[in-house]
Amino acid sequence: MSTTGPANTRRQQIIEIIRQRGLLRLPEPVVLASGELSRDFIDGKAALSRGEDLRLACEVILENVGDLEFDAVGGLTMGADQFSHVIAVLSGAQWFVVRKEPKGRGTNKLVEGGKVGEGWRVLLVDDVVTTGGSIQKAHDAIVGLGATVVAAATFVDRGDVAAQYFRERDIPYAPVVTYRDLGIEPVGGGLVRT
């Protein structure tokens, strides 16, 4: 991605949105969903609760993946839901969500929405990743259905673990914002200092 021009300006807007409405600096470390500790808490859902901000983030995600073609977009619920829905509208792709576990009744599916399967090209999305456990679970579920993950994109990456996971699988990985952009300590893989 270019570091000058409109795309960089849009990224800067997103960084400011996170700083104003999503980044909390706490006096004591808290436990994150990954099990890691951090004094910096990023609430991606609060940061993007305004429709115009969510649209901007989704447009930047699409810019980051470039001309990559995909049939469906989604990831693990709840972190991926808002992105999968808006990106589906913007791109014309289908959306899906991966449940944390099968519903246990009805069709008992793990993946809801688009009928992702053999031959489908998928863009995985997530909101805030630390170790990438949620997006990795979504990856495994989608690959298990026979689809191909053509790229993964996240709103905020708090560390370097998810990037390494996708690099090892030759899958392009594009976070919109990283811990470096926010000036916070990296988290993941035991990197945080308490």
Side-chain angles (χ1 to χ4, degrees):
M1 185 170 116
S2 170
T3 57
T4 60
N8 190 48
T9 301
R10 291 158 60 89
R11 258 185 90 255
Q12 280 306 123
Q13 286 178 292
I14 291 170
I15 291 167
E16 287 309 309
I17 289 166
I18 295 167
R19 285 184 179 144
Q20 290 173 13
R21 293 195 298 278
L23 178 59
L24 300 172
R25 298 210 170 192
L26 306 168
E28 295 295 321
V30 294
V31 178
L32 305 173
S34 64
E36 298 282 332
L37 294 171
S38 179
R39 288 184 182 92
D40 298 305
F41 182 78
I42 300 170
D43 187 339
K45 291 164 193 65
L48 298 178
S49 61
R50 297 177 184 174
E52 64 199 51
D53 296 338
L54 176 58
R55 180 184 181 97
L56 174 64
C58 291
E59 287 171 349
V60 173
I61 288 171
L62 284 170
E63 289 169 9
N64 283 352
V65 298
D67 294 333
L68 188 73
E69 292 184 10
F70 55 94
D71 305 302
V73 55
L76 193 69
T77 195
M78 287 200 40
D81 297 354
Q82 66 277 24
F83 300 108
S84 60
H85 298 155
V86 175
I87 290 172
V89 170
L90 295 174
S91 69
Q94 293 191 40
W95 65 266
F96 68 88
V97 294
V98 178
R99 291 180 175 277
K100 293 182 180 172
E101 56 188 58
K103 192 173 183 177
R105 60 185 186 282
T107 59
N108 201 37
K109 293 188 294 187
L110 185 61
V111 178
E112 300 284 354
K115 307 235 182 299
V116 178
E118 194 74 37
W120 282 56
R121 299 164 299 177
V122 169
L123 170 62
L124 288 180
V125 290
D126 203 351
D127 62 353
V128 180
V129 300
T130 301
T131 61
S134 295
I135 201 166
Q136 290 174 30
K137 183 174 181 173
H139 172 267
D140 293 346
I142 293 307
V143 169
L145 294 173
T148 301
V149 175
V150 295
T154 57
F155 178 52
V156 179
D157 192 336
R158 297 182 48 104
D160 298 314
V161 180
Q164 180 179 339
Y165 175 85
F166 288 109
R167 188 170 40 254
E168 290 170 356
R169 287 155 183 78
D170 293 322
I171 297 171
Y173 176 67
V176 173
V177 175
T178 69
Y179 64 92
R180 290 176 192 89
D181 299 316
L182 296 172
I184 63 174
E185 290 284 325
V187 183
L191 299 172
V192 73
R193 291 182 280 247
T194 55

